[in-house]
Amino acid sequence: MELNGILNNGGAHLQMKKVILRTVSLTAITTVAAVSILAGCSNTTTGGSTSTAGSTGAGGAAAKQADWAEQNGLNKTETVEELYAKAKQEGKVVVYSQSSRIKDVKATFEAKYPGVVVEAYNMTTNDIVEKLIREQGAGVYNADVVFVKDAGGTVSSELVKKNIVYKYLPSDLAAKMIEPYKSQSPGLVPYFSLRSIFYNTDANKTTPITNWWDLTTPEWKGKVMFDEPLQSADTMDLFLAMVQNAEEMKQAYKEKFGKDIVLNGTENAGYEFIKQLVKNDAVLMKSSDDVVEGIGKSTQAKPPIGFSASSKMRDVVEKKLKVNTTYDVKPRISVVGPSYLYIANKAKNVSAAKLLIRWMAGEADGQGEGFKPFNVQGSWSTRTDNGRTDQPAIDKLNVWKYDPEFFYNNAAKLREFWLKLQ
């Protein structure tokens, strides 16, 4: 169904919204294969040997990059005063950010640390991956801080493992974090969000669904909205989690319909759910904003339902949306969607980058204003000292774990499956 089809029925017409602090012209990567090709295109060949930014071939590039990280103290904990003194000499810090809320971070950081300017680029994670691979493959080191999600394990596989970005987690911040983010994460994770189900509160006093398979029934035909997965890494990650946990999806089907699932040419219950959802005339939207506003502003007697970024709950009051989300869906409500902070390889403003990451992570006491734009309803802090109390605690969330290796190895296959459904 077309975007306007469902929205116009409710008297609302929405347009795609995108906040850009600095215009960057890029073509989004929509397949893991495309990212790999870009990485291959950035290779340099000399005398018949080939080396990439993360290879251990000619020149020992990977070893040199690891030396750079150690030489620049990415494994050290320095005081804020020490970092600020050095950051003022650098004068700025360049951030590639997957969130438009970086503009709020910029404002508070520059007020806290006069003399250090935040140069912020707001892009999709796919665009950030492409830009970093192209730039560093050409010997251009523009970024200092990289703020991204993993995008189907692409960041872990194409940036982290190839030493294009590095983890920076000072000990005084790590001491306040919970596992697995304290010691097992490839980057500093200040918070995570989910892809969760939203419903219209005018038409429903409580959630109208309790099982993901509810969305495949005739009751919701043509009324389920979500971001187009080839444009939304978070939606694709949710589908990948369902494929990975197909046995749970299979059991949820039996609980819903009282019988065993019969696969219709699909590999497992995860793929079958996606197929049935699409065949139920799912409504593909351009952005998370469009999904939540389409549900919350609908005037239809039977408003649409959908799933989108859980952090959009912050818009309920501001945009006067009649919408709520549910945390009780079988087999699980969603997959964890961590947001990562990294320092880019050969960053020119390392001290300012460290200072900014500390700021965005809430600083040692958890009260740093740089974390406030992200400490919203629908996001969960990974620290023990600054979480919210108006939503379920982390240990009460019935969610799937994020598995970057599985997602990376299966993303291309799922994308091909998705394209065949269209």
Side-chain angles (χ1 to χ4, degrees), residues 34-111:
V35 175
S36 300
I37 290 172
L38 283 170
C41 289
S42 68
N43 291 354
T44 58
T45 305
T46 306
S49 64
T50 302
S51 66
T52 69
S55 74
T56 55
K64 289 181 179 179
Q65 287 173 300
D67 288 343
W68 176 88
E70 184 174 350
Q71 290 166 5
N72 283 273
L74 300 195
N75 59 342
K76 295 180 179 179
T77 298
E78 299 150 285
T79 68
V80 170
E81 292 72 23
E82 290 172 331
L83 291 174
Y84 182 34
K86 296 176 182 177
K88 282 190 290 186
Q89 295 177 3
E90 295 168 345
K92 72 173 183 178
V93 56
V94 179
V95 189
Y96 291 177
S97 171
Q98 50 92 17
S99 171
S100 62
R101 285 174 279 174
I102 193 65
K103 67 181 183 296
D104 300 314
V105 175
K106 170 182 170 67
T108 60
F109 182 85
E110 291 178 352

Side-chain angles (χ1 to χ4, degrees), residues 140-306:
V140 176
Y141 303 97
N142 184 55
D144 298 313
V145 173
V146 178
F147 182 36
V148 290
K149 290 193 173 181
D150 207 349
T154 302
V155 171
S156 294
S157 295
E158 295 295 339
L159 300 187
V160 177
K161 290 183 179 179
K162 295 182 179 180
N163 294 333
I164 292 176
V165 296
Y166 291 98
K167 181 177 182 177
Y168 171 66
L169 179 55
S171 59
D172 57 347
L173 297 187
K176 302 293 181 64
M177 301 182 76
I178 63 171
E179 294 293 4
Y181 310 105
K182 184 174 184 176
S183 63
Q184 302 172 35
S185 175
L188 192 160
V189 178
Y191 71 95
F192 67 77
S193 56
L194 310 171
R195 225 57 180 177
S196 55
I197 294 172
F198 288 84
Y199 61 92
N200 183 286
T201 53
D202 264 0
N204 307 279
K205 299 305 179 185
T206 60
T207 176
I209 76 160
T210 57
N211 189 312
W212 278 101
W213 289 98
D214 290 341
L215 301 181
T216 68
T217 63
E219 178 184 1
W220 296 106
K221 185 176 180 65
K223 289 185 172 293
V224 181
M225 306 165 65
F226 56 93
D227 298 13
E228 214 289 341
L230 295 187
Q231 301 300 323
S232 169
D234 289 335
T235 302
M236 185 61 73
D237 284 348
L238 173 60
F239 286 162
L240 283 164
M242 291 176 170
V243 168
Q244 182 180 22
N245 297 279
E247 286 302 310
E248 292 186 21
M249 293 297 292
K250 178 180 178 180
Q251 180 59 33
Y253 180 94
K254 188 169 185 177
E255 290 184 29
K256 167 63 182 176
F257 298 109
K259 59 183 179 181
D260 291 333
I261 191 171
V262 176
L263 302 180
N264 184 21
T266 58
E267 183 176 323
N268 61 41
Y271 281 109
E272 185 66 25
F273 170 80
I274 298 167
K275 182 176 182 177
Q276 291 193 26
L277 182 65
V278 171
K279 297 304 180 184
N280 206 33
D281 290 343
V283 184
L284 304 182
M285 307 295 282
K286 295 180 180 179
S287 72
S288 295
D289 288 324
D290 287 344
V291 173
V292 178
E293 291 182 24
I295 296 168
K297 291 184 177 181
S298 175
T299 58
Q300 299 178 61
K302 179 73 172 179
I305 198 168

Side-chain angles (χ1 to χ4, degrees), residues 276-350:
Q276 291 193 26
L277 182 65
V278 171
K279 297 304 180 184
N280 206 33
D281 290 343
V283 184
L284 304 182
M285 307 295 282
K286 295 180 180 179
S287 72
S288 295
D289 288 324
D290 287 344
V291 173
V292 178
E293 291 182 24
I295 296 168
K297 291 184 177 181
S298 175
T299 58
Q300 299 178 61
K302 179 73 172 179
I305 198 168
F307 47 97
S308 184
S310 57
S311 60
K312 291 301 175 182
M313 281 297 295
R314 71 184 187 274
D315 294 338
V316 171
V317 175
E318 180 181 342
K319 296 182 179 180
K320 299 180 180 179
L321 301 179
K322 299 171 182 178
V323 67
N324 200 358
T325 187
T326 177
Y327 298 109
D328 186 17
V329 185
K330 293 182 179 180
R332 298 181 189 262
I333 60 172
S334 191
V335 62
V336 172
S339 289
Y340 298 87
L341 285 163
Y342 296 101
I343 290 184
N345 177 45
K346 296 187 179 180
K348 297 175 183 177
N349 308 296
V350 178

